[in-house]
């Protein structure tokens, strides 16, 4: 069973893989082929699903027709039973071989060609286009390189051109001859050696006259038809008295100075990307062969050897073998320094540690001094800090003034000896429990807040306490609450009128019940069941009247401390109190709660109700004025409750008379009113309650018909105290 599963997984993975054949015309070791293979491999490397098979036809060493026939039969036999998802053929022989035998060897397999010289292809390019085979051209820019010689060497007088008579060279030899004639016309003597005779080339390069340059083409076979290894060509050009330029990068770092070089690696990258794009499902326009551009590349060592001015090179040129850094150039000296003088490094490390510790201590002392001089003595609040046993460790000047003692007389003593007001049992416990303490001293009110501080070991070191004089603040809170309560009285008339309307109905009902009971009693028909029914009616009406007066009593009672309250219930309570007043004035009030989260807010519930009452009464007055001027026939007030991330919005809009932009700018100012009998405190109090007491925001927006008041209040959280230092 295990063997079966292993086989199935292997077949599945094999099916998921894609096999690509890279067929080279030449042999491994030809740098053009090696560079091109490297480009293909680097592109495919990140894609584990692609497997690359590389084959070499070795035609650079053997072009005999009989060998080519045997080679064909070998490849027919070798490739007959192999399946490929794509085939990449490189250079003329491989391209011709695949083009002529693709239907037998690679039926229905996508083919890609590269390594074909653009100027003299050597293959049937039109046929390739007709059969829709993507083609990547190479282009040895001989003319550009020949013209560049005069630019980079302004005093050039002689040019020596080297090439051979192989098929690859035939495509560029004619260009060499054309460019040589152009140089001759400019007064530059040219010599062309196309025989591949290494002995003569070596001798010529050793006797070149001054101001000469060498242009290297292809040198793969000598004058006897024998293959020339790269190292021999490299030895020859390295011995040259003149700089050697080239049109390809096969001998880069091997003696040539560089030039506008055709790169095998770039060609490999281009054809591999083209293959991947096709296998990925992208459409390839095979009618337009891709031409891989050459690149300006130069060897820094050769530039220095032949004193070539680097400023004359193209700006986009790449420089290889740049000079070594100081460390690279003196690596051995540095290694000896580490071996024989380790104590220098140790001493340096110790010195750095010592300097760091000194700087750290200086910063710590400076920070402590700054804390004492600025943070403590320039703060109006009195500050002291004690250890966990209650002994004073330090204080600021304000605390010294408060207790009437100097710093030396305070530090080291128990807090109970210096500041006895804090040493009553409940107060002292609150101090160490970090509770806020409010106390009286010399007819003034103070508020103390404490916080733990940590010692150098990160443990509890004691408590820092801040004492703030809040006498004026407390008086201001009292005055503010008094003003708010006074403003609330202005709304009581409206509330009482509404209550009178609400009590009329139950009073009439109670009167009717009384008459009915009296009638039944006179007729002798009053039964126990009738008494129970009459009792139920009387109690329900009495409870209703009691709830009405309780709501009114809650409204007029001030909220001394902030607390959590239900905003939805608060709005409903106000609407209940004002319902009869609205009905009497034929005003329709519609309330919608859109909240999906909690309705709970933090603040002053009765003062919030006062704000809502004030806004609704203002809306009612605006509607009545609009009715008097025949601008509306029926009044509408709409209240909507919306939610935000951290707050709740109350939107109240009406279809009343509206306001002008000029009036809008002054609406929240005290004593400003547009009413004949108004006192100008309603909206001012609303803003004071919402923004100063409940940390919210209130705005008013004019509408096409009427106005909209927007109130935004924060959601209820744990009570957030003010900063430690007031």
């Amino acid at each position: 069973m295990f063997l079966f599963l292993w086989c199935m997984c292997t077949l599945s993975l094999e099916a998921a893989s894609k096999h690509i054949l890279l067929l080279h015309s030449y042999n491994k070791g030809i740098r053009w082929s090696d560079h091109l293979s490297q480009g293909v491999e680097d592109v495919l490397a990140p894609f584990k699903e692609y497997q690359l098979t590389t084959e070499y036809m070795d035609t650079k060493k053997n072009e005999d027709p009989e060998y080519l026939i045997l080679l064909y039969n070998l490849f027919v036999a070798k490739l007959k039973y192999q399946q490929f998802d794509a085939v990449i053929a490189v250079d003329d022989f491989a391209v011709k071989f695949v083009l002529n035998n693709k239907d037998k060897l690679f039926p229905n397999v996508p083919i890609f060609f590269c390594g074909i010289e653009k100027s003299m292809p050597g293959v049937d390019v039109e046929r390739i286009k007709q059969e829709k085979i993507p083609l990547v051209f190479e282009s040895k820019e001989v003319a550009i390189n020949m013209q560049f010689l005069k630019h980079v060497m302004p005093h050039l007088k002689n040019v020596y051109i080297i090439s051979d008579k192989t098929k690859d060279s035939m495509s560029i030899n004619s260009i060499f001859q054309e460019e040589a004639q152009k140089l001759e016309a400019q007064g530059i003597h040219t010599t062309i050696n196309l025989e591949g005779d290494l002995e003569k080339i070596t001798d010529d390069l050793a006797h070149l006259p001054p101001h000469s340059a060498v242009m290297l083409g292809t040198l793969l076979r000598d004058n006897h038809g024998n293959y020339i290894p790269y190292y021999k060509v490299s030895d020859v050009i390295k011995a040259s008295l003149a700089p050697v330029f080239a049109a390809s990068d096969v001998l880069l770092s091997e003696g040539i100075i560089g030039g506008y070089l055709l790169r095998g690696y770039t060609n490999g990258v281009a054809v591999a990307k083209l293959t991947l794009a096709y296998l990925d499902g992208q459409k390839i326009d095979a009618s337009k062969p891709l031409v891989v551009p050459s690149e300006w590349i130069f060897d820094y060592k050769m530039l220095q050897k032949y004193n070539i001015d680097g400023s004359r090179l193209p700006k986009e040129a790449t420089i290889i073998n740049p000079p070594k850094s100081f460390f690279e150039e003196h690596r051995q000296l540095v290694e000896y320094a580490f071996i024989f003088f380790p104590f220098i490094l140790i001493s340096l490390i110790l010195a750095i540690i010592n300097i760091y510790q000194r700087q750290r201590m200086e910063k710590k002392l400076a920070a402590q001094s700054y804390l004492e001089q600025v943070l403590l003595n320039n703060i109006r609040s009195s500050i002291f800090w004690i250890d966990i046993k209650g002994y004073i460790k330090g204080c600021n000047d304000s605390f010294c003034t408060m207790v009437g003692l100097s710093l030396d007389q305070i530090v080291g003593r128990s807090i109970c000896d210096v500041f006895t007001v804090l040493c009553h049992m409940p107060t002292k416990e609150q101090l160490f429990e970090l509770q806020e303490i409010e106390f009286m001293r010399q007819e003034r009110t103070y508020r103390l807040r404490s916080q733990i501080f940590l010692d150098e070991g990160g443990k509890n070191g004691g408590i820092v306490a801040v004492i703030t004089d809040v006498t004026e603040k407390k008086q201001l809170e009292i005055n503010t609450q008094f003003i708010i309560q006074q403003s609330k009285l202005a709304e009581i008339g409206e509330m009482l009128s509404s209550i009178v309307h609400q009590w009329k109905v139950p009073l009439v009902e109670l009167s009717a019940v009384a008459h009915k009971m009296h009638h039944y009693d006179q007729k002798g028909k009053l039964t126990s069941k009738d008494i129970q029914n009459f009792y139920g009616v009387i109690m329900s009406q009495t409870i209703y009247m009691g709830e009405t007066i309780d709501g009114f009593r809650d409204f007029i009672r001030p909220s001394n401390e902030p607390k959590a309250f239900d905003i939805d219930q608060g709005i409903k309570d106000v609407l209940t109190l004002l319902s009869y007043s609205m009905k009497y004035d034929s005003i329709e009030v519609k309330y919608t709660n859109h909240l999906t989260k909690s309705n709970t807010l933090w603040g002053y519930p009765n003062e919030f109700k006062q704000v809502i009452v004030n806004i609704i009464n203002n809306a009612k007055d605006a509607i009545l004025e609009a009715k008097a001027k025949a601008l509306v026939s029926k009044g509408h007030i709409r209240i909507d409750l919306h939610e935000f991330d951290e707050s709740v919005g109350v939107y109240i809009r009406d279809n009343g008379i509206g306001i002008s932009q000029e009036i809008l700018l002054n609406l929240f100012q005290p004593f400003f009113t547009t009413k004949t009998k108004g006192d100008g405190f309603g909206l001012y109090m609303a803003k004071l309650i919402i923004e100063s007491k409940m940390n919210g925001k209130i705005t008013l927006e004019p509408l096409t018909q009427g106005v909209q008041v927007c109130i935004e209040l924060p959601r209820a959280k744990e009570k957030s105290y003010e900063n430690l230092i007031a």
Side-chain angles (χ1 to χ4, degrees), residues 284-341:
I284 306 298
D285 188 0
S287 64
K288 297 178 181 179
L290 178 66
V291 180
V292 179
S294 297
E295 301 176 36
W296 289 105
I297 306 177
F298 297 92
D299 189 335
Y300 180 84
K301 293 181 179 179
M302 294 298 105
L303 292 172
Q304 296 297 307
K305 178 180 178 181
Y306 296 106
N307 296 319
I308 300 298
D309 185 1
S311 65
R312 291 186 167 275
L313 303 180
K315 293 181 179 180
E316 67 273 19
T318 300
I319 306 298
I320 65 170
N321 299 322
K324 294 182 179 179
S325 64
F326 176 85
F327 179 78
E328 293 173 332
E329 192 170 350
H330 302 88
R331 181 182 296 274
Q332 191 173 16
L333 179 63
V334 175
E335 290 175 353
Y336 283 151
F338 276 103
I339 293 172
F340 294 106
F341 305 104

Side-chain angles (χ1 to χ4, degrees), residues 377-428:
N377 297 330
N378 291 326
I379 293 176
R380 296 178 59 185
S381 298
S382 300
I383 302 175
F384 68 88
W385 56 99
I386 58 177
D387 61 19
I388 56 177
K389 294 181 179 180
Y391 288 97
I392 301 175
K393 307 297 291 183
C395 64
N396 68 345
D397 290 346
S398 178
F399 184 75
C400 293
T401 303
M402 174 179 280
V403 297
L405 298 173
S406 67
L407 182 64
D408 294 336
Q409 294 173 317
I410 294 174
V411 174
R413 296 176 62 183
S414 171
I415 186 64
C416 292
D417 294 337
V418 175
F419 205 47
T420 56
V421 71
L422 294 178
C423 286
H424 301 296
M425 184 59 67
T427 307
K428 190 174 181 180

Side-chain angles (χ1 to χ4, degrees), residues 587-647:
I587 297 175
E588 179 186 13
V589 181
K590 184 177 181 181
Y591 166 58
T592 306
N593 183 354
H594 300 279
L595 301 185
T596 58
K597 301 178 182 178
S598 170
N599 298 327
T600 306
L601 300 186
W602 182 267
Y604 299 86
N606 289 341
E607 278 69 12
F608 170 75
K609 292 177 183 179
Q610 176 184 348
V611 171
I612 301 301
V613 168
N614 180 270
I615 294 171
I616 293 177
N617 282 335
N618 284 345
K620 183 189 74 171
D621 292 342
I623 291 172
L624 294 178
E625 185 176 351
K627 283 184 174 182
K629 295 181 180 181
L631 297 177
V632 296
S633 58
K634 187 175 182 180
H636 297 281
I637 298 176
R638 181 175 180 85
I639 305 173
D640 289 283
L641 205 54
H642 293 281
E643 64 185 359
F644 306 102
D645 292 338
E646 300 293 335
S647 61

